[in-house]
Amino acid sequence: MTRINPITAACLVCFIAISATYAQPKSIPQKVDALIKKMTLAEKIGQLNQYNGDWAATGPVTTDVGNKLDAIKRGEVGSILNIVGVQHTRVFQEAAMKSRLKIPLLFGQDVIHGYSVTFPIPLAEAASWDLDAIKKSARIAATEAAAGGVHWTFAPMVDIARDPRWGRVMEGAGEDPYLGSLIATARVKGFQGNGLGNLDAVMACAKHFTAYGAAIGGRDYNSVDMSLRTLWEFYLPPFKAALDAGVGTFMNSFNDLNGTPASASHYLQRDILKNKWGFKGFVVSDWGSIGEMINHGYVKNNYEAAEAAINAGNDMDMESRSYINNLAKLVAAKKVSIATIDEAVKRILTKKYELGLFDDPYRFSDAEREKRVLNTPETIAAARDAARKSIVLLKNNNKVLPLSKNDKSIALIGPMVKLKKENKGFWALDVGDENQVVSLYEGVQQHTGNAKLLYAQGCDVTDTTRTGFNEAYKTAMQADVVVMAMGERFDMTGEAKSRSNIHLPGVQEELIKAIVATGKPVVVLLYAGRPMVFDWTADHAPAILYTWWLGNQAGNAIADVLFGSYNPGAKLPITFPRTEGQIPIYYNHYNTGRPAHADNDVNYTSAYIDLLNSPKFAFGHGLSYTTFKYDNLKLSKKSMLKNGNIRVSFDLQNIGDYAGEEVAQLYLRDVVSQPVRPVKELKDFKKLMLQPGEKKTITFTITKDKLAFYNDKLDWITQPGEFNLMIGSASDDIRLQNNFNLDN
Ligand code: GLC
């Protein structure tokens, strides 16, 4: 037998160990590079192709592609959306494991405000101004979704929206870039948790990139035309915040921006997102938006659309089939380079590695975990808390609210009283038991104990018959107090749900008039996904709660507020116009050369001769059952250097009888600047709970970034000069003022 020299043996072992190390790619980039080297062009293009899973179409379904499982086995699909439940994702993943390279599928879903347990619609949650609660809600939605087989949520929607005619205003965080940026951050961190690869994390998606909320006329999918300065000042900040929070993907938008469809915008997707901001994730188109370039008149056909989109930085094609049908031909014609294809494929594969899908393609398809994680009591309790925090007390004359425990009989009147699953609002998933959704009637019933509950529908949401009025009137006359539940249908906001008339629909306001005429104390609850117009009600109903669409726990949360077990502290994240003719109206507007000096000042001023100048309810408005006193404003100095700061402090005291939360808001105004600045901009806020009598000192710190803005050359600058400082309970309820200077 040949004896091996021990030194030789040792060298041999070392060599094997070293070669083994170098042969096996260790880092994700190395793994991606190694994999892409093995891929054919067809397999690379397959990774850029996303199909709908046919469980629910969230867009116009176009030509059928035949058997999608066969396409997956051929390596022609990189991602599937709208698959619900682990047993279905497993079937599709098994098909992917039959492809040549066994590249796992990415499962995407619109988990916008909850998965199995639905939370309030995002605009309602934004009204809470409670960033921890918003993050927690996204965290819970992600935990449930990941247990349900979802890898990737198409959320948060971070579009700034100033036009309530636009149905998708319900999906975002309202009109303000500062609040919208903080909420975008909270939602991304909530969805992605401790990072991709964790079993309770889903990859988030900042959408819709960009300026989709500025659709002309508030008409969904309509053109957007704005200066780049407005784009940078108001519409991009929440996207940059999402990117800074580590969002894994972006979704572009249906609209054209200044004539270029977002899917074809090199400026948006490469110049800004991938180059200036250094985004390393990938961009998915919105449903069919690449193919819709033809409708836009931007290209002649899908071949040109695919060329425009991939070269502009759109990595994945949702449902337009443009990539799968044309990219190989475009490469052959040298209109698209292999390098461009490879860059897109690498971005997508990187995310699949980060999610751990190559280690275990079925790691999110665990039926036992799905059963254990969904619909837990803790989740249901969190949904109730999020709902309570979203309810805005618009008005409470004569302290009609909270309702007295001594009310012997309560009349519940209106079309929303007994609604169940509609409370989930738009973009809710058909997951979980709809019977778990608590109606207003059920919530009040559980709260009232021995009070007698009376009910009459009175009218339907949109019908014009008044035949139910009489019964409603008689029901109200029998009660000590009346609670009316009115509003839009849940599907009158959401995608493709723009309204030219945002009045309370049908004959509802007439019903409210009839019930108020009884002289009984009346509380009006308004269910909607947008600001509505309800002028008479706002002026004559003694108490109004804006209850949005609050999700599974709606009835309990509203009852908690009605009966005072929760004191409402929410604030409007968007301006409520007096009527459609006043749109667009938003708080952070410029002063103009002829500002109105009073609400009815029409003397050669920028005003309507037939309407007061102020909104019906202002950005930041929201009342409480208690009263807060602001005083003792102090500034650490009256002028600051560019790299200095000013500490602002004031006292906030609860001088009422209820413990309650206040959102103290800080607004600044750059008095003289070029270009001009808004009359006020939200630059900080503090939400805190105060017991009756309790006083706390609140401190804000003014730093340069709160004073900076984009000039005409899009440089992020500050200019020396005077700033007004305003602290208040709403943008139109300023309690403390002062000013300071920014020196050179
Ligand atoms: C829809 C929406 C988008 C959604 C996508 C997938 O058309 O515009 O927000 O994420 O398609 O459902």
Side-chain angles (χ1 to χ4, degrees), residues 28-49:
I28 287 181
Q30 287 170 331
K31 289 176 182 175
V32 168
D33 286 342
L35 175 54
I36 210 160
K37 287 191 177 81
K38 299 175 191 166
M39 295 170 77
T40 65
L41 176 60
E43 287 165 334
K44 292 176 181 178
I45 293 168
Q47 287 302 305
L48 312 186
N49 182 38

Side-chain angles (χ1 to χ4, degrees), residues 18-315:
I18 290 167
S19 58
T21 306
Y22 285 106
Q24 288 302 320
K26 277 182 65 175
S27 73
I28 287 181
Q30 287 170 331
K31 289 176 182 175
V32 168
D33 286 342
L35 175 54
I36 210 160
K37 287 191 177 81
K38 299 175 191 166
M39 295 170 77
T40 65
L41 176 60
E43 287 165 334
K44 292 176 181 178
I45 293 168
Q47 287 302 305
L48 312 186
N49 182 38
Q50 181 185 55
Y51 282 153
N52 185 46
D54 296 341
W55 264 259
T58 46
V61 179
T62 52
T63 49
D64 185 21
V65 290
N67 184 306
K68 288 175 185 170
L69 291 176
D70 291 343
I72 291 166
K73 288 172 192 167
R74 294 192 299 268
E76 296 168 7
V77 188
S79 172
I80 294 278
L81 74 142
N82 289 337
I83 289 189
V84 175
V86 297
Q87 75 278 17
H88 298 119
T89 57
R90 182 170 280 273
V91 168
F92 279 72
Q93 200 66 288
E94 283 165 353
M97 292 306 109
K98 293 189 173 75
S99 65
R100 186 178 77 88
L101 291 173
K102 299 180 176 25
I103 299 175
L105 285 171
L106 203 51
F107 297 126
Q109 182 78 52
D110 292 287
V111 183
I112 308 295
H113 54 109
Y115 179 73
S116 177
V117 174
T118 305
F119 282 71
I121 58 170
L123 187 62
E125 278 198 347
S128 74
W129 296 48
D130 187 327
L131 301 174
D132 291 339
I134 290 168
K135 180 178 176 183
K136 181 176 180 181
S137 151
R139 185 84 293 279
I140 289 169
T143 303
E144 285 205 327
V150 177
H151 303 145
W152 174 27
T153 178
F154 304 126
M157 184 272 224
V158 301
D159 300 302
I160 293 294
R162 295 168 158 175
D163 191 329
R165 293 171 296 181
W166 189 50
R168 299 196 77 163
V169 69
M170 55 72 62
E171 206 176 333
E175 72 188 45
D176 182 71
Y178 179 81
L179 179 62
S181 298
L182 291 175
I183 289 176
T185 301
R187 286 180 169 148
V188 167
K189 291 189 180 296
F191 284 125
Q192 298 190 161
N194 295 324
L196 304 189
N198 284 287
L199 272 179
D200 64 354
V202 293
M203 181 162 67
C205 179
K207 71 184 188 181
H208 305 80
F209 197 56
T210 193
Y212 180 34
I216 294 168
R219 204 170 72 238
D220 207 351
Y221 316 123
N222 201 6
S223 296
V224 171
D225 203 273
M226 66 173 65
S227 71
L228 293 184
R229 204 169 67 78
T230 296
L231 180 73
W232 281 90
E233 280 280 296
F234 296 99
Y235 291 84
L236 289 179
F239 286 98
K240 182 63 167 57
L243 183 137
D244 292 343
V247 72
T249 60
F250 269 57
M251 180 185 291
N252 56 40
S253 54
F254 291 118
N255 58 285
D256 62 274
L257 174 62
N258 302 334
T260 300
S263 311
S265 174
H266 194 286
Y267 176 65
L268 292 178
Q269 298 171 118
R270 288 200 187 278
D271 296 350
I272 298 176
L273 183 60
K274 293 179 176 178
N275 298 337
K276 185 175 179 65
W277 289 354
F279 179 58
K280 300 299 178 214
F282 70 85
V283 178
V284 63
S285 62
D286 200 343
W287 184 293
S289 64
I290 293 176
E292 289 173 7
M293 287 187 214
I294 302 166
N295 297 337
H296 279 286
Y298 191 77
V299 294
K300 286 203 299 290
N301 51 43
N302 288 80
Y303 177 85
E304 292 181 357
E307 177 189 8
I310 192 76
N311 286 329
N314 183 134
D315 301 301

